[in-house]
Amino acid sequence: QVQLVESGGGVVQPGRSLRLSCAASGFTFTTFAMHWVRQAPGKGLEWVAVISGDGRDKYYTDSVKGRFTISRDNSKNTLYLQMNNLRAEDTAVYYCAKDGSGYGSFEFWGQGALVTVSS
Amino acid sequence: EIVLTQSPGTLSLSPGERVTLSCRASQSVSSTFLAWYQQKPGQAPRLLIHGASTRATGIPDRFSGSGSGTDFTLTISRLEPEDFAVYYCQQYGNSPMYSFGQGTKLELK
């Protein structure tokens, strides 16, 4: 069965960096685009970034462009999110999600990693 | 950017009732790219419906989706205790861009 396990969350000061990882299993990783979606405490869902199966194409929501980088290592079945110059408003649970190919949806989700940006 | 508005914000209902949740888009959305999710407290969202009306794998048939253009609905034919949760609609558009509604909370009456 599909499993997505995030790691790397924690407390970080504003302006610092953090890298999230998402280990995938139970499906052919290289075949699917992967996403990061976040949820601020008590708030709704916000899409953050997507990367194609081969890693060539990457897209971001405007608020993280130039600060966040999505990447993947298909040899390790792992998705990453490098977050630089973090701001208080980046505080959220970050979910990795498997693309629902052809439907623009998020078919499976990890359990999430909490990132808290605070001085 | 397409904005999705869900209504109502909160619904208080009892098990066994039928409920219809609304999702309205600020401009036309392709039905292929409209999805619904369920999220329970402390859990990740779960895909319920994609393509506006197709249930995801393992989703009970009491959940159904419909709609086109700017108006979409999620119907739960008979509420079970485990259905009390927050429900989000989501669309995919050009750029690419993905956006969610603000959510509708179903709470136990």
Side-chain angles (χ1 to χ4, degrees), chain A residues 84-96:
Chain A
N84 297 333
N85 190 20
L86 281 159
R87 305 167 180 167
E89 54 265 35
D90 296 319
T91 294
V93 174
Y94 285 74
Y95 297 100
C96 67

PDB file of all heavy atoms in Angstrom, chain A residues 84-96:
ATOM      1  N   ASN A  84      14.258  28.076   2.708  1.00  0.00           N
ATOM      2  CA  ASN A  84      15.218  29.093   3.134  1.00  0.00           C
ATOM      3  C   ASN A  84      14.505  30.378   3.524  1.00  0.00           C
ATOM      4  O   ASN A  84      13.346  30.604   3.144  1.00  0.00           O
ATOM      5  CB  ASN A  84      16.206  29.379   2.005  1.00  0.00           C
ATOM      6  CG  ASN A  84      17.033  28.168   1.632  1.00  0.00           C
ATOM      7  OD1 ASN A  84      17.273  27.278   2.455  1.00  0.00           O
ATOM      8  ND2 ASN A  84      17.463  28.130   0.385  1.00  0.00           N
ATOM      9  N   ASN A  85      15.204  31.216   4.262  1.00  0.00           N
ATOM     10  CA  ASN A  85      14.672  32.521   4.663  1.00  0.00           C
ATOM     11  C   ASN A  85      13.245  32.390   5.211  1.00  0.00           C
ATOM     12  O   ASN A  85      12.319  33.081   4.774  1.00  0.00           O
ATOM     13  CB  ASN A  85      14.707  33.491   3.480  1.00  0.00           C
ATOM     14  CG  ASN A  85      14.409  34.917   3.878  1.00  0.00           C
ATOM     15  OD1 ASN A  85      14.524  35.279   5.055  1.00  0.00           O
ATOM     16  ND2 ASN A  85      13.992  35.724   2.917  1.00  0.00           N
ATOM     17  N   LEU A  86      13.092  31.496   6.168  1.00  0.00           N
ATOM     18  CA  LEU A  86      11.758  31.196   6.693  1.00  0.00           C
ATOM     19  C   LEU A  86      11.155  32.387   7.428  1.00  0.00           C
ATOM     20  O   LEU A  86      11.862  33.183   8.065  1.00  0.00           O
ATOM     21  CB  LEU A  86      11.820  29.971   7.612  1.00  0.00           C
ATOM     22  CG  LEU A  86      11.878  28.639   6.854  1.00  0.00           C
ATOM     23  CD1 LEU A  86      12.433  27.531   7.726  1.00  0.00           C
ATOM     24  CD2 LEU A  86      10.501  28.281   6.308  1.00  0.00           C
ATOM     25  N   ARG A  87       9.842  32.493   7.333  1.00  0.00           N
ATOM     26  CA  ARG A  87       9.083  33.563   7.950  1.00  0.00           C
ATOM     27  C   ARG A  87       8.069  32.981   8.930  1.00  0.00           C
ATOM     28  O   ARG A  87       7.709  31.803   8.812  1.00  0.00           O
ATOM     29  CB  ARG A  87       8.342  34.362   6.873  1.00  0.00           C
ATOM     30  CG  ARG A  87       9.215  34.912   5.767  1.00  0.00           C
ATOM     31  CD  ARG A  87       8.365  35.400   4.615  1.00  0.00           C
ATOM     32  NE  ARG A  87       9.174  35.946   3.521  1.00  0.00           N
ATOM     33  CZ  ARG A  87       8.705  36.214   2.304  1.00  0.00           C
ATOM     34  NH1 ARG A  87       7.410  36.012   2.050  1.00  0.00           N
ATOM     35  NH2 ARG A  87       9.504  36.706   1.381  1.00  0.00           N
ATOM     36  N   ALA A  88       7.568  33.809   9.824  1.00  0.00           N
ATOM     37  CA  ALA A  88       6.566  33.334  10.785  1.00  0.00           C
ATOM     38  C   ALA A  88       5.354  32.760  10.067  1.00  0.00           C
ATOM     39  O   ALA A  88       4.764  31.766  10.515  1.00  0.00           O
ATOM     40  CB  ALA A  88       6.156  34.477  11.712  1.00  0.00           C
ATOM     41  N   GLU A  89       4.999  33.347   8.944  1.00  0.00           N
ATOM     42  CA  GLU A  89       3.809  32.893   8.204  1.00  0.00           C
ATOM     43  C   GLU A  89       4.014  31.556   7.496  1.00  0.00           C
ATOM     44  O   GLU A  89       3.076  31.008   6.916  1.00  0.00           O
ATOM     45  CB  GLU A  89       3.342  33.953   7.207  1.00  0.00           C
ATOM     46  CG  GLU A  89       4.389  34.431   6.238  1.00  0.00           C
ATOM     47  CD  GLU A  89       5.092  35.688   6.694  1.00  0.00           C
ATOM     48  OE1 GLU A  89       5.308  35.860   7.929  1.00  0.00           O
ATOM     49  OE2 GLU A  89       5.445  36.510   5.820  1.00  0.00           O
ATOM     50  N   ASP A  90       5.226  31.019   7.534  1.00  0.00           N
ATOM     51  CA  ASP A  90       5.479  29.684   6.997  1.00  0.00           C
ATOM     52  C   ASP A  90       5.183  28.591   8.032  1.00  0.00           C
ATOM     53  O   ASP A  90       5.265  27.397   7.713  1.00  0.00           O
ATOM     54  CB  ASP A  90       6.933  29.541   6.541  1.00  0.00           C
ATOM     55  CG  ASP A  90       7.276  30.463   5.375  1.00  0.00           C
ATOM     56  OD1 ASP A  90       6.433  30.604   4.470  1.00  0.00           O
ATOM     57  OD2 ASP A  90       8.368  31.062   5.396  1.00  0.00           O
ATOM     58  N   THR A  91       4.862  28.993   9.253  1.00  0.00           N
ATOM     59  CA  THR A  91       4.525  28.020  10.297  1.00  0.00           C
ATOM     60  C   THR A  91       3.301  27.224   9.876  1.00  0.00           C
ATOM     61  O   THR A  91       2.239  27.785   9.580  1.00  0.00           O
ATOM     62  CB  THR A  91       4.247  28.742  11.629  1.00  0.00           C
ATOM     63  OG1 THR A  91       5.457  29.338  12.088  1.00  0.00           O
ATOM     64  CG2 THR A  91       3.720  27.767  12.676  1.00  0.00           C
ATOM     65  N   ALA A  92       3.449  25.903   9.817  1.00  0.00           N
ATOM     66  CA  ALA A  92       2.370  25.049   9.321  1.00  0.00           C
ATOM     67  C   ALA A  92       2.765  23.588   9.458  1.00  0.00           C
ATOM     68  O   ALA A  92       3.933  23.261   9.681  1.00  0.00           O
ATOM     69  CB  ALA A  92       2.084  25.346   7.843  1.00  0.00           C
ATOM     70  N   VAL A  93       1.777  22.726   9.301  1.00  0.00           N
ATOM     71  CA  VAL A  93       2.041  21.312   9.050  1.00  0.00           C
ATOM     72  C   VAL A  93       2.235  21.169   7.542  1.00  0.00           C
ATOM     73  O   VAL A  93       1.405  21.643   6.758  1.00  0.00           O
ATOM     74  CB  VAL A  93       0.887  20.418   9.529  1.00  0.00           C
ATOM     75  CG1 VAL A  93       1.137  18.967   9.118  1.00  0.00           C
ATOM     76  CG2 VAL A  93       0.724  20.521  11.036  1.00  0.00           C
ATOM     77  N   TYR A  94       3.338  20.552   7.154  1.00  0.00           N
ATOM     78  CA  TYR A  94       3.651  20.342   5.746  1.00  0.00           C
ATOM     79  C   TYR A  94       3.391  18.886   5.394  1.00  0.00           C
ATOM     80  O   TYR A  94       3.969  17.981   6.010  1.00  0.00           O
ATOM     81  CB  TYR A  94       5.100  20.716   5.459  1.00  0.00           C
ATOM     82  CG  TYR A  94       5.320  22.214   5.428  1.00  0.00           C
ATOM     83  CD1 TYR A  94       5.337  22.953   6.610  1.00  0.00           C
ATOM     84  CD2 TYR A  94       5.470  22.891   4.230  1.00  0.00           C
ATOM     85  CE1 TYR A  94       5.503  24.330   6.597  1.00  0.00           C
ATOM     86  CE2 TYR A  94       5.650  24.271   4.196  1.00  0.00           C
ATOM     87  CZ  TYR A  94       5.655  24.977   5.387  1.00  0.00           C
ATOM     88  OH  TYR A  94       5.822  26.349   5.360  1.00  0.00           O
ATOM     89  N   TYR A  95       2.531  18.679   4.406  1.00  0.00           N
ATOM     90  CA  TYR A  95       2.199  17.342   3.938  1.00  0.00           C
ATOM     91  C   TYR A  95       2.837  17.102   2.568  1.00  0.00           C
ATOM     92  O   TYR A  95       2.783  17.988   1.699  1.00  0.00           O
ATOM     93  CB  TYR A  95       0.692  17.178   3.757  1.00  0.00           C
ATOM     94  CG  TYR A  95      -0.145  17.305   5.015  1.00  0.00           C
ATOM     95  CD1 TYR A  95      -0.816  18.479   5.317  1.00  0.00           C
ATOM     96  CD2 TYR A  95      -0.295  16.222   5.886  1.00  0.00           C
ATOM     97  CE1 TYR A  95      -1.601  18.591   6.446  1.00  0.00           C
ATOM     98  CE2 TYR A  95      -1.085  16.322   7.025  1.00  0.00           C
ATOM     99  CZ  TYR A  95      -1.731  17.508   7.294  1.00  0.00           C
ATOM    100  OH  TYR A  95      -2.520  17.604   8.417  1.00  0.00           O
ATOM    101  N   CYS A  96       3.405  15.931   2.369  1.00  0.00           N
ATOM    102  CA  CYS A  96       3.720  15.536   1.004  1.00  0.00           C
ATOM    103  C   CYS A  96       2.533  14.732   0.481  1.00  0.00           C
ATOM    104  O   CYS A  96       1.807  14.087   1.256  1.00  0.00           O
ATOM    105  CB  CYS A  96       5.016  14.742   0.911  1.00  0.00           C
ATOM    106  SG  CYS A  96       5.005  13.113   1.670  1.00  0.00           S
TER     107      CYS A  96
END
